[in-house]
């Protein structure tokens, strides 16, 4: 039984090791970006997909809460307008692209690559002011 195989996060595209017991349909959280994912199995390989039973709002709220908790970041009064901006991007462009960035590319899906790579530590906040040190 291989319990240490890696799982690819479809949100941040990072492979992470998942050591807990794997079950089809089990909800897990990407340790890198905080995305809520659902385990499935295809041709004997475990994979993770974005949940289909969550509203976009529940999905992005859980993701940013998880990410902030992992990193010890805080939110402030800018949070709600930015969550609204993320939901607008989702309904217009199909994913949670950063509301403050023009390019709707995978690197800008919240939490964006820049933020995942430590811009909050450097600047005290992420580009748009959702995450604060
Ligand atoms: Zn991820």
């Amino acid at each position: 039984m291989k319990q240490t195989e890696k799982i690819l996060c479809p949100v941040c595209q990072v492979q992470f090791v998942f050591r807990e017991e794997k079950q089809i349909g089990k909800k897990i959280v990407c340790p890198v970006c905080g995305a809520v994912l659902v385990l499935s199995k295809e041709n004997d390989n475990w994979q993770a997909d974005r949940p289909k039973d969550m509203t976009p709002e529940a999905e992005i709220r859980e993701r940013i809460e998880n990410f902030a908790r992992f990193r010890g970041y805080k939110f402030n009064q800018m949070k709600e307008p930015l969550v609204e901006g993320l939901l607008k991007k989702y309904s217009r462009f199909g994913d949670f692209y950063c509301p403050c960035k023009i390019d709707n590319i995978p690197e800008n899906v919240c939490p964006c690559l820049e933020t995942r790579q430590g811009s909050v530590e450097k600047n005290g906040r992420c580009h748009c002011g959702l995450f604060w040190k």
Side-chain angles (χ1 to χ4, degrees):
M1 209 170 15
K2 280 189 288 173
Q3 285 294 333
T4 54
E5 55 198 302
K6 288 183 174 176
I7 292 176
L8 176 73
C9 174
V11 175
C12 68
Q13 307 296 324
V14 173
Q15 284 197 320
F16 61 91
V17 176
F18 185 73
R19 287 198 177 80
E20 289 168 54
E21 197 193 333
K22 297 184 188 73
Q23 272 175 339
I24 291 170
K26 183 177 184 172
K27 276 211 172 87
I28 64 169
V29 174
C30 170
V32 179
C33 70
V36 181
L37 304 170
V38 179
L39 284 177
S40 64
K41 208 172 190 182
E42 204 170 285
N43 302 325
D44 249 17
N45 291 316
W46 286 99
Q47 59 180 52
D49 307 295
R50 285 172 52 187
K52 292 178 181 76
D53 61 345
M54 282 175 99
T55 62
E57 182 168 0
E59 185 183 356
I60 192 60
R61 281 187 187 278
E62 270 205 45
R63 187 189 301 174
I64 62 176
E65 295 289 344
N66 288 335
F67 183 75
R69 194 174 65 249
F70 293 161
R71 301 281 184 106
Y73 297 160
K74 297 178 191 77
F75 298 106
N76 63 17
Q77 73 285 353
M78 289 168 80
K79 180 185 178 186
E80 290 308 315
L82 287 166
V83 168
E84 242 172 72
L86 283 162
L87 287 167
K88 267 188 203 141
K89 282 269 187 157
Y90 184 89
S91 66
R92 282 185 202 155
F93 304 106
D95 213 338
F96 299 109
Y97 300 108
C98 177
C100 309
K101 290 183 175 168
I102 294 162
D103 296 325
N104 298 316
I105 53 173
E107 293 93 302
N108 289 345
V109 170
C110 184
C112 70
L113 184 64
E114 187 178 57
T115 300
R116 280 181 266 127
Q117 289 181 338
S119 71
V120 177
E121 273 76 19
K122 244 182 286 162
N123 308 321
R125 51 174 279 184
C126 73
H127 179 76
C128 63
L130 178 62
F131 301 107
W132 293 75
K133 205 161 120 178

